[in-house]
Amino acid sequence: MSTPEFPEEEHEQVAGNGLLHRRLFLSQGAALLSAGSLGLMTARPAAAQALDPWLLTPGLALSGYGERSPFEADVARTVLPVAGTTGSGASRTPLESLEGIITPNGLFFERHHAGIPEIDPERHQLLIHGLVERPLVFSMEALSRYPMESRIQFLECSGNSRPNLASTPPQESCGFLHGTVSCSEWTGIPLSILLDEAGVSSEASWLLAEGADAAAMTRSVPLAKAMDDALIALYQNGERIRPSNGYPMRLFLPGYEGNACIKWLRRIKLTSGPQMTREETSKYTDLQRDGRSLQFTFDMDVKSVITSPSFGLALNGPGLYQISGIAWTGAGRIRRVEVSADGGQTWAEAALSDPVLPKALTRFRMAWRYDGGAATIVSRATDEAGNVQPLRSDFMAANGPQVSYHNNSTQAWAIDSDGAVSNVYV
Amino acid sequence: MSTFRRRRKTPCGLLSGLLGVIAMATVAAQEGPGLGETPSPEMLAAWDIDIGPDGSGLPAGSGTAAVGETLYMTNCFACHGPEGEGLLNDRLAGGHGSLASEAPRKTVGSYWPYATTVFDYVRRAMPYLMPQSLTNDEVYALTAYLLYINGIVARDEVMDAETLPDVEMPNRDSFVIAYPRR
């Protein structure tokens, strides 16, 4: 693999071990780099001068619903069902194979508690009751006439990145380690509109959201969140939300842990306090070192991960590479992502790719001249509220051995002299 | 979408219409078209299945651990083990005193703060392959059994809408509500 020629001033190193200035991505540098980052891609076959068959005959037929290239068939979620079930558990997004900020619908992570219900939208209804002036029930047809909004926002399971809580770093892909985060354009009805129609009582301060799955999954949600930016999501990336994401509708709470965003939403009950459901007492609570547990830790913290290079994506010799990754925060926008190529000794600021949206994945990129030796790359995000992603070592020191949820600490990848990438703790 | 009906009217129609246009154009808050229908009492009764921590919503019926043991061996032990020790799925009993250790064991007895949650969850979601198939008496009996194998109630203690909310769960006072933002 040859390295493209660059004017020397474009090579300005900004941190140790070959990190280059982010302006490489802000002007013509990006175009130059596209040739230099090919080390991560399949090698081109030599001397293929005969015309390929797709040049010589008309291609496949039109279709009603498109399929990706069969050459991409191995880009798939990691499916990890709960023992004894096929539909409960999680599947994780292959972050290492994706670019940009939108997760394709077929690769959006899943987390179900009793499988995926096959709901007939003509029989599905949404009931709003409890501490309201007027209990109301809505058909899907009625909801289709309500004003809608569209937003690009991430969804993350609070158990994401749990594998890295293990005492030794699992040698697994980026998606296996961190793939219960995904990002879509969500379109739906602001929940506040429906609550206003029902007339929320002054005694109400929470609501219970219930799904139409076989777990009748329930979570209590603060009324303030419901009135702020909660969405009854009907569409995902332009098409009707898929069964695995709550068809025909799900609750979407921007920046909140995924399990609170009840899928297959069928009922909202206004209450004076949380109902203390199984999920918010025995499951999604944060056991502390002293044996106490924190409840209703909804907010997803500032976080980032380098998706490429990462485990399984070996570097193909020295040269210019693009470090690419995602950052996100439940607190709003990502302000800055720093990257280190020397295990955290020195840091440089990565380029953030537009759009940088609140509570969405943000793509960051960094030019890197890899010298072919050993290197450890790691990213660290800061959000607009000033929250800084903790190093894993600091996170583990601050939390007890009981920690299970909300691991937002850094991910480090070590690259050896053969270009192989492994998961390491820093 | 000109068909959205404005629900609140001001006395002056012209001014109202003008303000309405401005509001639609500039303010994020919107009103809906008012297409919700009034649910029937039967629908509300059938759908309103959640139980509050104060026992609100608990139905008529009762059960004891003695009865619940038989139900458990029929419906539950294949996944949770004959003694609630966990098998394919969650451990339900034991673990008392383990929460502050390096190997915490979260069970109904060692961790769950409210006995009412046991009734609510078993009724809505268990058994895994046949949720909402048990009678209220059976759910009370199973709840009693799970409390019994954790040493929280006696084998012949009757669990019903009166007694269940008064059960003191050992870990009740260890939960801290961290909302708003911890």
Side-chain angles (χ1 to χ4, degrees), chain A residues 21-312:
Chain A
H21 196 280
R22 67 183 184 280
R23 73 165 167 267
L24 269 175
F25 290 98
L26 301 179
S27 59
Q28 80 282 9
L32 290 171
L33 264 182
S34 64
S37 57
L38 291 176
L40 295 173
M41 299 179 184
T42 309
R44 186 175 304 166
Q49 296 306 317
L51 289 177
D52 285 314
W54 47 85
L55 284 165
L56 302 175
T57 185
L60 300 176
L62 305 166
S63 65
Y65 197 94
E67 297 285 341
R68 60 187 175 169
S69 164
F71 294 99
E72 299 298 316
D74 62 342
V75 176
R77 294 181 290 217
T78 304
V79 178
L80 298 162
V82 169
T85 79
T86 56
S88 290
S91 71
R92 303 176 189 170
T93 298
L95 300 174
E96 66 281 2
S97 301
L98 303 180
E99 257 297 342
I101 62 171
I102 299 293
T103 310
N105 285 346
L107 295 174
F108 201 98
F109 86 89
E110 300 173 275
R111 173 75 179 96
H112 315 307
H113 297 75
I116 304 165
E118 295 183 280
I119 294 175
D120 177 351
E122 294 201 356
R123 296 188 57 182
H124 189 80
Q125 293 175 295
L126 174 64
L127 173 65
I128 298 179
H129 72 126
L131 296 175
V132 295
E133 294 167 26
R134 294 169 294 278
L136 293 173
V137 60
F138 298 90
S139 67
M140 293 304 300
E141 190 277 333
L143 289 175
S144 71
R145 281 180 53 190
Y146 276 70
M148 297 190 199
E149 294 180 3
S150 297
R151 311 183 197 132
I152 295 173
Q153 284 163 333
F154 77 84
L155 186 74
E156 183 180 20
C157 176
S158 57
N160 195 22
S161 309
R162 182 179 291 141
N164 270 358
L165 299 176
S167 54
T168 55
Q171 296 311 314
E172 300 282 358
S173 70
C174 186
F176 182 97
L177 299 171
H178 307 289
T180 54
V181 65
S182 300
C183 185
S184 291
E185 184 203 54
W186 306 92
T187 297
I189 304 158
L191 177 55
S192 60
I193 294 177
L194 303 182
L195 294 180
D196 278 346
E197 287 194 345
V200 176
S201 157
S202 60
E203 299 153 38
S205 55
W206 289 70
L207 61 79
L208 182 77
E210 182 181 85
D213 58 329
M217 174 87 176
T218 45
R219 279 300 312 259
S220 300
V221 176
L223 178 61
K225 180 65 173 177
M227 298 303 288
D228 178 19
D229 60 358
L231 207 63
I232 305 294
L234 303 175
Y235 295 83
Q236 183 180 12
N237 293 333
E239 66 181 358
R240 290 299 296 266
I241 202 162
R242 292 193 173 189
S244 56
N245 262 286
Y247 182 87
M249 66 171 108
R250 84 175 300 163
L251 182 60
F252 189 78
L253 304 170
Y256 269 27
E257 58 186 22
N259 70 83
C261 304
I262 295 292
K263 297 188 293 250
W264 317 293
L265 183 69
R266 79 191 293 247
R267 187 165 73 99
I268 289 173
K269 181 182 186 179
L270 280 295
T271 58
S272 59
Q275 288 295 72
M276 302 298 179
T277 72
R278 179 251 203 180
E279 312 302 336
E280 62 210 23
T281 54
S282 75
K283 289 296 174 186
Y284 297 101
T285 47
D286 301 324
L287 182 56
Q288 307 289 292
R289 205 188 298 273
D290 61 5
R292 293 185 311 147
S293 285
L294 303 182
Q295 274 184 291
F296 307 111
T297 51
F298 294 113
D299 296 300
M300 297 311 296
D301 293 310
V302 63
K303 190 166 174 179
S304 70
V305 59
I306 293 170
T307 55
S308 176
S310 62
F311 178 86

Side-chain angles (χ1 to χ4, degrees), chain B residues 47-59:
Chain B
W47 285 43
D48 188 8
I49 62 169
D50 56 281
I51 311 299
D54 60 355
S56 59
L58 279 171

